[in-house]
Amino acid sequence: MAATIAIKNGHVFDPLNEINGDIMDIYIKDGKVVPELSDAEMKDAKVVDATGKTVMPGGVDSHTHIAGAKVNSGRLMRPEDSYKWNRPKTSITHGGTGETVPSVYLEGYEYAQMGYTTAFEAAVPPLEARHTHEEMHSIPMLDMGGYLVLGNNWFMMRYLKEGDIDKAAAYVAWMMRTHKTYGIKCVNPAGVENWGWGKNVESLDETNIHFEITPREIIEGLTEVNEMLGIPMPVHLHANNLGHPGCYETTKESLTIPSKVKPNQDMGVEWAETKIDPTKDKSIYLTHLQFNAFGGTSWRDFESGVKDITDYVNSQDHVVIDSGSVPFGEATCMTGDGPSIHDIAVLTGGKWSNCDVELECGSGVCPFTYLKSNPVHSVQWAMGLESLLLIDDPWKTIMTTDNPNGGPFTKYPNVMTWLMSEAYRNETFSEVHKWANDRSTLGGVSRELSLYDIATITRATPAKTNGMAHRKGSLAVGADGDVTIYDIDPTRLDVTANYNDLLTKFRYADYTIKGGEIAAHNGEIMSIPERRTYYSDIKVDANEEKKMLEDVKDWFRYYTLGFENYPTPEKYLVNPTPINVNMEK
Amino acid sequence: MTEVVLTPNTEIDIKIEADVIKPDEFAGKSKEEIEQLIVWQGPDQLPLKNFFDVKGQGGSSAEETSIVIKGDVARVKMIGAEMTAGKITIQGSTGLKVGAEMKGGEIVVEGDADSWAGTEMKGGLLHVKGNTVDHLGCAYRGSWKGMTGGRIVVDGNAQSQIGGGLTGGEIIVNGSAENFCGIRQSGGLIVIRGNAIRAIGAEMSGGTIVVEGHITNFTPGMQYEDEQYDLCFEDIECGGVFKKFTGDFAISKKPKGVLYAGKEANLEL
């Protein structure tokens, strides 16, 4: 049961309300932030003294891989990942294992320990949606949602090739509802389909086999459909040629495609009162910029191509990115981009798992270790930080590690500390291969992010980008009572001498409050709060939907399962919370 | 050196995990404190004295502590795991994972050792006078790196997956081996005095394997180099004539792994 809670005298950082370290009290009642509590309510309220501490909205991770078929493959193929990373059960928590691909329960606990309360699984293959929801059902602590992978879907490719944008929209709407997913993910458009024949696409204007559609046409079509329907978030794009030296040019060109598409967010929700307009204003959300920004022509002349892209992002207003930072150490690469994972497996000789998801998409998994001694990995580390530091406006950047591709989410504290402290970056520069300095611009960057910036790139921007700012990412009246209290005194913060301190303070938040309940305190899980699964319930023209379904049923003969077994029923979701989209129809 | 004697005092049904049995834990502790050290049996945590009578006390440091186990402890797992110094003598057979991730010191097993003996060992000496089973000095399942240092000597036979993922250190088996000896080996030395069955040195990219006896199914990715006489690796000597191979060419274009097969026993190669 959500308690009444008063958080007293904390230094509040709430970018959506332009509150920058002011000493304030935050009150929560019935799971929501309220302006004040009556004397009677105060008597029963739990009071948390946050004097000399940092108070932020609960963390929002808009790009992580913690549920679904490929995550589970990662767990299966990595027994060694569980071997040395295990946590015993307590009276209220399950035990758990795994550093880069933890077991489901541990994922929830570890996010909560860090102060995160919301996470979006960034790649749900439609056929695996049921499986994904089953796993999400067992992840405690977190409000969740998933993005549906549509960049190589046969129906999508066919409709877009035929130029039938209305049917494409009807299909997207039906698929979101059928699989209870939240937004559109587009992975290596047109390329993954070719991977079924051992091939890829090299440029945005190369057509793929059989469908003869280009990546450009798919990106154009999907972004258009997305805004036509008014889906809460922009299309989440994993660009072509990812992971290949020189891919930054493809990425930059991909970003120009939806520059004329007008963002449109058409949701029937109750909005929390924020000072800054919390509605979506971007038409494309580029994922893991670091992996999409490789420069050079081979691994020998490999260099960072981040600056070229960040210059473009700085000059435009339609792009938001997440970084895909690399914090060194163990990782597990997993993506819907099958060919890119095959390249990694060939490069490293690592274990490789690969899957073709029938008519829809594909995926691959390969364990990876980022080494400070490795020249390429060192540049990748620098590139992840460049992605966040070279873009001037924090409302265009989101901090991620593309968990667990660049590294596990448990290393977010390292990334946050590198961003805040030039001294910490310099210390790392002294430990890594010299390519990090020679082949990126990070060494010349003296920018240090403030706690306000950190609150922006880990709370406000992901919430706003995802269309969740109506309840997440702020401490506005009406917002969810999700609060993180870090034991960091902003008035005494010394990021030059004392940066090591930040690592533990970000890792184990002093308090993580979810919906008014104290979920974690100082690294210990205190309660298992209620959580929700969000999905987009999109209305479209009934006639259009009927025509589209005739096509779908016709083509279903190519599927290995029956049409009736395809949908994900609501019972697979924990507290299903539909967001009504495109209400007029 | 101060000696602590452990005598098994009960039949063990569910196997126990006793990585506390090592000089690092016993050092500086009295008899009573050692008796209270915790071992796991299934989900239960129980004091060591439930399973052993303890005599003597720990030395001033791990180096100064010697542990003698009088009798069979085949149902006790992880003896000497991660130990850094001192000595353990087991006057009988021991269970899984003896000397796993051991960093220093010495373990002598007078009987047999179960699977995973010396797994991912980093230093020290593990001497098994009887036989061992599978995964001797091997990497943990799915892991890249097996043993990185130290030495394992087995007087009897060892079975499959000896030295999997070996990157350093030495494994000497005076008896025979079975399958996948030195799989994914990238460094270090494995000597098998007896015979081996198949896939010896499969996927190896570095290091050395010597098989003095007969190899039943030879690894196809190995390439013949020349003949060599009386091999000597510091203090380890292998007398006689050997056929030298490099490999595994099935994995790498320029592999640095070396496999010596005794000529007399392998005339058909």
Side-chain angles (χ1 to χ4, degrees):
Chain A
M1 186 56 212
T4 306
I5 198 162
I7 301 156
K8 293 283 208 181
N9 293 322
H11 295 270
V12 175
F13 294 85
D14 180 4
L16 275 165
N17 288 300
E18 296 181 322
I19 299 168
N20 184 2
D22 304 356
I23 295 179
M24 289 172 66
D25 300 341
I26 305 286
Y27 303 103
I28 302 166
K29 199 186 141 204
D30 298 331
K32 296 274 183 189
V33 178
V34 291
E36 58 191 350
L37 295 174
S38 67
D39 288 347
E41 287 165 340
M42 268 312 280
K43 239 184 256 168
D44 299 328
K46 160 100 184 139
V47 178
V48 175
D49 180 15
T51 309
K53 290 174 181 173
T54 295
V55 177
M56 291 186 190
V60 178
D61 196 342
S62 58
H63 184 177
T64 181
H65 300 283
I66 52 176
K70 66 185 183 310
V71 183
N72 219 17
S73 292
R75 293 188 189 111
L76 285 170
M77 70 195 276
R78 299 211 64 184
E80 80 281 11
D81 188 52
S82 290
Y83 175 39
K84 289 188 178 157
W85 188 281
N86 37 61
R87 306 285 178 265
K89 66 169 189 159
T90 68
S91 58
I92 59 163
T93 68
H94 291 252
T97 64
E99 182 186 5
T100 65
V101 267
S103 47
V104 275
Y105 294 107
L106 195 56
E107 288 174 331
Y109 305 143
E110 288 186 330
Y111 262 115
Q113 286 171 336
M114 288 196 311
Y116 276 71
T117 58
T118 310
F120 284 84
E121 163 57 48
V124 184
L127 256 182
E128 306 291 349
R130 218 182 258 208
H131 174 169
T132 309
H133 280 296
E134 283 187 304
E135 270 183 42
M136 294 204 302
H137 203 280
S138 294
I139 297 174
M141 324 303 269
L142 297 172
D143 278 10
M144 294 191 73
Y147 310 154
L148 199 63
V149 185
L150 289 171
N152 290 273
N153 185 290
W154 285 18
F155 299 93
M156 267 332 276
M157 289 192 290
R158 180 181 159 196
Y159 288 144
L160 295 178
K161 185 66 199 172
E162 291 168 355
D164 199 339
I165 205 84
D166 290 326
K167 265 193 193 167
Y171 179 71
V172 171
W174 175 74
M175 286 287 272
M176 290 286 177
R177 220 179 312 130
T178 298
H179 295 301
K180 310 290 179 287
T181 44
Y182 185 84
I184 297 177
K185 175 73 175 261
C186 175
V187 180
N188 186 0
V192 174
E193 176 57 27
N194 268 10
W195 178 235
W197 285 262
K199 297 184 167 65
N200 201 345
V201 291
E202 307 284 324
S203 82
L204 288 176
D205 295 306
E206 184 183 338
T207 57
N208 67 357
I209 307 167
H210 301 127
F211 289 90
E212 300 197 325
I213 191 167
T214 65
R216 186 187 302 277
E217 289 166 329
I218 295 177
I219 297 170
E220 257 168 14
L222 280 179
T223 47
E224 203 179 312
V225 166
N226 195 70
E227 305 313 323
M228 211 172 115
L229 292 170
I231 288 178
M233 60 179 289
V235 167
H236 197 218
L237 176 70
H238 161 131
N240 298 81
N241 279 336
L242 173 137
H244 299 157
C247 70
Y248 78 98
E249 292 189 43
T250 314
T251 305
K252 210 167 77 175
E253 215 184 321
S254 305
L255 292 178
T256 63
I257 296 170
S259 61
K260 296 283 181 295
V261 177
K262 202 174 157 292
N264 166 36
Q265 196 176 40
D266 182 1
M267 348 187 267
V269 291
E270 245 175 78
W271 292 86
E273 303 163 12
T274 52
K275 207 171 213 176
I276 287 184
D277 178 8
T279 54
K280 174 175 77 170
D281 55 5
K282 305 284 188 268
S283 59
I284 192 85
Y285 171 8
L286 177 76
T287 76
H288 40 65
L289 173 56
Q290 177 269 126
F291 288 112
N292 273 314
F294 288 10
T297 58
S298 73
W299 296 117
R300 262 183 222 102
D301 64 358
F302 175 82
E303 60 178 3
S304 163
V306 171
K307 187 157 189 317
D308 256 66
I309 298 178
T310 53
D311 282 350
Y312 178 77
V313 176
N314 278 330
S315 73
Q316 299 289 325
D317 283 327
H318 69 284
V319 185
V320 57
I321 64 110
D322 70 49
S323 62
S325 299
V326 170
F328 291 115
E330 287 289 312
T332 302
C333 296
M334 50 174 68
T335 165
D337 192 351
S340 83
I341 288 288
H342 176 252
D343 293 343
I344 292 173
V346 170
L347 198 68
T348 61
K351 298 180 268 192
W352 173 54
S353 166
N354 177 63
C355 179
D356 177 50
V357 186
E358 303 197 11
L359 282 58
E360 297 175 343
C361 53
S363 70
V365 184
C366 182
F368 203 88
T369 310
Y370 293 95
L371 300 168
K372 288 183 176 172
S373 56
N374 181 299
V376 172
H377 304 174
S378 301
V379 182
Q380 286 186 279
W381 163 76
M383 288 166 67
L385 301 179
E386 276 184 312
S387 304
L388 296 165
L389 291 168
L390 298 183
I391 293 175
D392 301 326
D393 181 1
W395 290 100
K396 293 177 180 173
T397 56
I398 295 166
M399 186 214 67
T400 65
T401 61
D402 186 12
N403 164 68
N405 284 284
F409 65 82
T410 43
K411 291 198 175 151
Y412 285 176
N414 297 64
V415 182
M416 285 150 84
T417 309
W418 275 315
L419 294 171
M420 287 182 70
S421 165
E422 197 187 1
Y424 185 41
R425 295 201 291 270
N426 287 338
E427 186 200 282
T428 307
F429 266 125
S430 71
E431 296 163 0
V432 300
H433 194 278
K434 66 183 180 59
W435 275 25
N437 199 16
D438 298 350
R439 303 199 178 194
S440 80
T441 60
L442 184 67
V445 176
S446 56
R447 184 178 178 193
E448 291 180 329
L449 295 192
S450 63
L451 284 166
Y452 187 73
D453 294 333
I454 293 291
T456 311
I457 66 171
T458 59
R459 272 97 175 148
T461 311
K464 180 172 162 156
T465 300
N466 269 17
M468 287 304 294
H470 62 280
R471 59 192 303 168
K472 299 287 179 189
S474 81
L475 295 172
V477 169
D480 283 1
D482 295 1
V483 186
T484 313
I485 306 174
Y486 295 116
D487 187 11
I488 297 169
D489 187 342
T491 59
R492 294 187 190 173
L493 190 62
D494 183 352
V495 294
T496 307
N498 216 1
Y499 53 82
N500 273 321
D501 206 30
L502 288 176
L503 294 173
T504 37
K505 296 204 162 152
F506 282 134
R507 179 75 177 83
Y508 300 110
D510 192 24
Y511 284 95
T512 304
I513 295 162
K514 167 117 199 336
E517 264 187 87
I518 296 176
H521 170 42
N522 219 348
E524 201 182 322
I525 302 299
M526 308 298 285
S527 71
I528 314 293
E530 279 284 301
R531 61 220 150 82
R532 295 177 189 82
T533 313
Y534 301 96
Y535 70 94
S536 293
D537 189 355
I538 310 172
K539 302 277 182 301
V540 281
D541 186 87
N543 271 332
E544 210 59 58
E545 179 159 318
K546 212 175 133 202
K547 279 193 281 173
M548 175 273 302
L549 275 177
E550 278 167 25
D551 290 348
V552 172
K553 281 177 181 161
D554 180 39
W555 267 31
F556 234 84
R557 64 177 183 271
Y558 297 119
Y559 269 108
T560 56
L561 83 173
F563 183 75
E564 300 304 322
N565 295 328
Y566 191 55
T568 307
E570 267 205 348
K571 66 174 182 191
Y572 283 85
L573 276 64
V574 51
N575 289 327
T577 310
I579 295 192
N580 294 315
V581 177
N582 205 1
M583 301 278 284
E584 291 149 38
K585 287 280 164 65
Chain B
M1 222 173 194
T2 318
E3 195 170 277
V4 184
V5 178
L6 301 180
T7 313
N9 60 14
T10 176
E11 286 272 307
I12 299 170
D13 48 2
I14 295 172
K15 288 184 180 181
I16 62 169
E17 284 191 11
D19 54 344
V20 291
I21 303 182
K22 60 185 167 201
D24 305 76
E25 288 284 346
F26 283 18
K29 290 196 170 69
S30 67
K31 173 179 180 298
E32 288 72 26
E33 283 171 317
I34 292 171
E35 283 175 337
Q36 290 306 322
L37 287 170
I38 294 298
V39 301
W40 286 84
Q41 185 176 41
D44 299 327
Q45 299 180 67
L46 303 163
L48 193 63
K49 67 170 184 187
N50 285 20
F51 305 96
F52 293 98
D53 291 334
V54 179
K55 216 172 89 185
Q57 58 180 22
S60 56
S61 65
E63 286 87 357
E64 289 302 310
T65 305
S66 166
I67 302 172
V68 178
I69 301 177
K70 284 195 183 294
D72 236 24
V73 281
R75 298 191 70 79
V76 182
K77 301 192 271 187
M78 302 182 80
I79 293 173
E82 295 181 59
M83 73 183 262
T84 62
K87 184 170 179 181
I88 301 176
T89 310
I90 301 167
Q91 295 173 345
S93 295
T94 181
L96 292 168
K97 284 192 159 187
V98 63
E101 296 174 59
M102 174 175 179
K103 298 180 181 76
E106 185 183 349
I107 301 178
V108 178
V109 182
E110 294 180 354
D112 299 338
D114 206 340
S115 291
W116 301 100
T119 178
E120 298 190 9
M121 188 165 154
K122 295 171 177 66
L125 172 67
L126 170 64
H127 184 181
V128 181
K129 295 188 173 172
N131 304 313
T132 70
V133 193
D134 296 332
H135 300 285
L136 176 72
C138 185
Y140 184 70
R141 289 191 202 284
S143 185
W144 315 118
K145 268 191 193 169
M147 194 169 153
T148 56
R151 175 177 288 185
I152 300 177
V153 180
V154 178
D155 293 348
N157 303 323
Q159 295 180 5
S160 295
Q161 308 251 4
I162 298 168
L166 192 77
T167 63
E170 296 117 21
I171 302 176
I172 300 136
V173 178
N174 290 312
S176 292
E178 293 186 358
N179 314 300
F180 294 102
C181 171
I183 185 171
R184 283 193 292 107
Q185 182 177 350
S186 61
L189 172 70
I190 302 175
V191 176
I192 309 292
R193 305 278 185 197
N195 306 323
I197 299 177
R198 67 165 184 143
I200 306 308
E203 298 188 17
M204 79 187 289
S205 59
T208 308
I209 304 176
V210 183
V211 180
E212 295 189 358
H214 180 64
I215 301 172
T216 315
N217 293 319
F218 198 69
T219 313
M222 293 287 166
Q223 196 169 305
Y224 179 73
E225 296 283 324
D226 53 12
E227 284 188 4
Q228 300 224 341
Y229 302 85
D230 295 337
L231 308 173
C232 182
F233 309 94
E234 292 176 6
D235 61 327
I236 302 161
E237 291 177 8
C238 306
V241 190
F242 289 88
K243 295 181 176 184
K244 181 184 175 185
F245 299 84
T246 52
D248 181 349
F249 282 89
I251 293 299
S252 158
K253 288 195 182 83
K254 286 182 192 163
K256 295 192 186 77
V258 178
L259 170 61
Y260 296 99
K263 189 183 175 189
E264 281 300 304
N266 296 287
L267 288 173
E268 76 284 7
L269 286 182

